[in-house]
Amino acid sequence: MGGNDDRLTVLVVGGGGREHALAWKLAQSPRVARVLCAPGNAGIAADATCVPVKADDLDGLLELARRERVDLTVVGPEAPLVAGLVDRFEAAGLTAFGPTAAAARLEGSKAFAKRLMARCGVPSAHAEVFEDRDAAVAFVEEQGAPIVVKADGLAAGKGVVVAQTVGQARRFIDACLVERAFGAAGTRVVIEEYLPGQEASFLAITDGVRTLPLLPAQDHKTALDNDLGPNTGGMGAYCPAVIVPPPLAERITRTVIDPVVKAMAEEGCPFRGVLYAGLMVDGDDVRVLEFNVRFGDPETEPLLFLMESDLLPVLLGAARGDLSPVIEAGGIRWKTGAAVSVVMASRGYPVSVETGKPISGLDQVGGPDVKVFHAGTAEKDGRLVTAGGRVLAVTARGNDLAAAIAQAYASVGRISWEGVHYRRDIGRKGLAALGVSGGAPAGTRKGDPRGRRPRG
Ligand code: AMP
Ligand code: GLY
């Protein structure tokens, strides 16, 4: 513990908007003396000390944590978790928030996730796993389209095609199983039933036994308004998600989160960290599309902006395997209203990305209800420039969703760079569900697959 006070040194691993939100929130904890971020980015540098160690450099991170006497390491992205960062840290006597490599298979292997869900009765799309190309194609021909084909392993968000035709599904199967376009990640494919509805992100913190759900959130995954265009990492998010009202959230905790946490413990790989269920919600029908073993990006930005509680005891309790003090103290408290995060991206994202563009207008934005989290920025010759596909996550809180949206876009409108691109409809699905004008975007009606474009 740092020096003669007992406040902690925290290390956040990663360098995007999610990690900025984590670093910013942890820095506010009265129990935190110092936040380091590896590698961080130019915006994170305002809230934490950035250290140039990459998120996948496990040796470098371990050395950094030892050298700086880090008390808690919080891992943003999935790759270091799947690669065993938490196992290595624990073996070295260090505390890290996140699942072990064995538990991270929930995200790292879709086939593992499917088997586990089937075993504990968690509702998901009906699916079959194939390694043989002809058998996979025969199955698709028998089922017909629309149908969803997924590469089994991690494929950087490109490993899923929502095929509108059998031919499209066949081409993706060939890309995986014949051409090996995804290498080892695509030697098996999962073929699953197409689900109608709207997506929601349901995240819960867990210590391996106890679970503490966050507010339900909703991401906007495609690049263009009305859920059109190619899939991205996420173009904006808001919380709480209107389509998951509190009784439904409780049911999701009981029927999805708790059984999975219990089953992982029974499998001999207890899950500690944040379990993120990607859900398809169709009225009262909720099914799991996928699990992630980390915080969502951009969901984390509005979630942490709306969180009233100190984040440190939550993450530390989960990492140490005992959330009971937090639960006994009443769990996580939230500010009233809603929070929205609008991602401002570079021209060409997610296909090809222009970087190095000077960003202007950030000094025009501020106030207690707005925070600009940096996803991909750098400092060049004393100026702030773009340095990634997603550049900023402009986040605002309001007394209701409409106010939060208005507040976020008022700030977005003051920031610019050459080629800036953002969606203009973040949160509109929520307004539509509330019956507030804004209208439902195309592709969200029951049985209408138009908004879901093939990716990959
Ligand atoms: P995943 O990586 O599994 O989350 O899939 C990426 C995206 O594909 C999701 O965000 C959904 O938009 C879509 N998707 C995945 N599975 C299905 C499904 N069974 N039915 C409809 N859309 C799906
Ligand atoms: N926002 C989607 C994700 O974090 O996977």
Side-chain angles (χ1 to χ4, degrees), residues 60-125:
L61 291 169
L62 194 55
E63 197 207 302
L64 171 67
R66 282 198 178 117
R67 189 178 66 231
E68 297 293 335
R69 300 180 183 283
V70 169
D71 299 291
L72 173 68
T73 298
V74 179
V75 185
E78 67 274 14
L81 295 168
V82 173
L85 182 147
V86 173
D87 308 67
R88 302 246 336 244
F89 273 54
E90 282 179 356
L94 294 166
T95 304
F97 174 85
T100 60
R105 280 180 299 167
L106 262 184
E107 176 166 357
S109 166
K110 291 186 193 294
F112 175 84
K114 277 284 176 194
R115 270 199 306 275
L116 192 100
M117 283 192 271
R119 231 197 62 203
C120 54
V122 168
S124 75

Side-chain angles (χ1 to χ4, degrees), residues 169-239:
R170 198 189 301 122
R171 278 192 295 284
F172 190 75
I173 291 168
D174 282 338
C176 291
L177 299 182
V178 181
E179 293 145 30
R180 297 280 186 242
F182 300 105
T187 56
R188 279 192 290 194
V189 295
V190 178
I191 302 183
E192 68 178 38
E193 136 196 39
Y194 169 81
L195 298 175
Q198 270 190 42
E199 284 175 67
S201 306
F202 196 87
L203 284 71
I205 311 287
T206 171
D207 61 9
V209 179
R210 290 155 283 252
T211 61
L212 208 48
L214 306 184
L215 290 178
Q218 203 166 21
D219 187 12
H220 298 65
K221 284 196 178 160
T222 65
L224 308 176
D225 285 8
N226 297 329
D227 291 347
L228 296 173
N231 211 18
T232 72
M235 293 297 292
Y238 76 94
C239 68

Side-chain angles (χ1 to χ4, degrees), residues 219 221 233 276 292 294 296-299:
D219 187 12
K221 284 196 178 160
Y276 164 156
N292 295 313
R294 46 154 181 90
D297 194 354
E299 292 93 325

Side-chain angles (χ1 to χ4, degrees), residues 110 125 148 150 157 160 162 192-196 199 221 231 280 289-290 452 455:
K110 291 186 193 294
V148 182
K150 305 182 176 187
V160 176
V162 181
E192 68 178 38
E193 136 196 39
Y194 169 81
L195 298 175
E199 284 175 67
K221 284 196 178 160
N231 211 18
M280 192 63 90
L289 287 179
E290 62 161 352
R452 305 195 181 286
R455 351 252 193 239

Side-chain angles (χ1 to χ4, degrees), residues 120-448:
C120 54
V122 168
S124 75
H126 178 70
E128 305 257 344
V129 181
F130 295 91
E131 288 179 16
D132 180 70
R133 183 259 174 202
D134 292 343
V137 169
F139 181 72
V140 164
E141 282 167 353
E142 177 200 317
Q143 298 290 314
I147 193 158
V148 182
V149 187
K150 305 182 176 187
D152 179 45
L154 293 179
K158 296 208 166 97
V160 176
V161 68
V162 181
Q164 308 303 337
T165 65
V166 168
Q168 225 174 20
R170 198 189 301 122
R171 278 192 295 284
F172 190 75
I173 291 168
D174 282 338
C176 291
L177 299 182
V178 181
E179 293 145 30
R180 297 280 186 242
F182 300 105
T187 56
R188 279 192 290 194
V189 295
V190 178
I191 302 183
E192 68 178 38
E193 136 196 39
Y194 169 81
L195 298 175
Q198 270 190 42
E199 284 175 67
S201 306
F202 196 87
L203 284 71
I205 311 287
T206 171
D207 61 9
V209 179
R210 290 155 283 252
T211 61
L212 208 48
L214 306 184
L215 290 178
Q218 203 166 21
D219 187 12
H220 298 65
K221 284 196 178 160
T222 65
L224 308 176
D225 285 8
N226 297 329
D227 291 347
L228 296 173
N231 211 18
T232 72
M235 293 297 292
Y238 76 94
C239 68
V242 180
I243 56 165
V244 185
L248 187 54
E250 273 161 41
R251 200 178 92 206
I252 294 166
T253 303
R254 212 171 55 240
T255 59
V256 176
I257 302 296
D258 289 345
V260 166
V261 168
K262 186 157 175 269
M264 291 298 285
E266 285 163 5
E267 289 261 325
C269 46
F271 188 98
R272 285 186 202 142
V274 56
L275 178 60
Y276 164 156
L279 306 172
M280 192 63 90
V281 181
D282 190 18
D284 240 14
D285 186 44
V286 174
R287 292 202 263 165
V288 174
L289 287 179
E290 62 161 352
F291 287 111
N292 295 313
V293 299
R294 46 154 181 90
F295 283 103
D297 194 354
E299 292 93 325
T300 304
E301 290 90 315
L303 280 168
L304 296 187
F305 201 57
L306 205 60
M307 189 182 284
E308 176 82 54
S309 300
D310 184 357
L311 182 61
L312 189 275
V314 177
L315 302 188
L316 192 62
R320 287 182 174 161
D322 190 7
L323 273 173
S324 42
V326 179
I327 292 171
E328 279 154 23
I332 297 172
R333 288 183 316 282
W334 300 91
K335 294 176 179 155
T336 54
V340 177
S341 194
V342 177
V343 170
M344 300 181 76
S346 296
R347 177 154 56 207
Y349 177 70
V351 181
S352 64
V353 165
E354 289 180 357
T355 57
K357 306 289 179 195
I359 301 170
S360 64
L362 274 173
D363 53 346
Q364 308 293 310
V365 172
D369 285 331
V370 177
K371 173 74 186 175
V372 179
F373 295 114
H374 290 226
T377 62
E379 215 184 284
K380 196 175 143 202
D381 306 327
R383 295 193 72 174
L384 191 72
V385 299
T386 64
R390 295 191 288 183
V391 177
L392 302 173
V394 179
T395 306
R397 186 179 57 241
N399 287 336
D400 57 25
L401 179 58
I405 293 171
Q407 175 85 270
Y409 277 106
S411 300
V412 166
R414 297 193 187 105
I415 303 169
S416 66
W417 62 84
E418 189 202 321
V420 61
H421 163 69
Y422 55 88
R423 278 179 64 155
R424 288 161 203 276
D425 66 343
I426 302 303
R428 197 191 287 166
K429 281 181 211 185
L431 293 182
L434 287 168
V436 180
S437 72
T444 56
R445 279 177 296 147
K446 189 166 180 162
D448 178 355

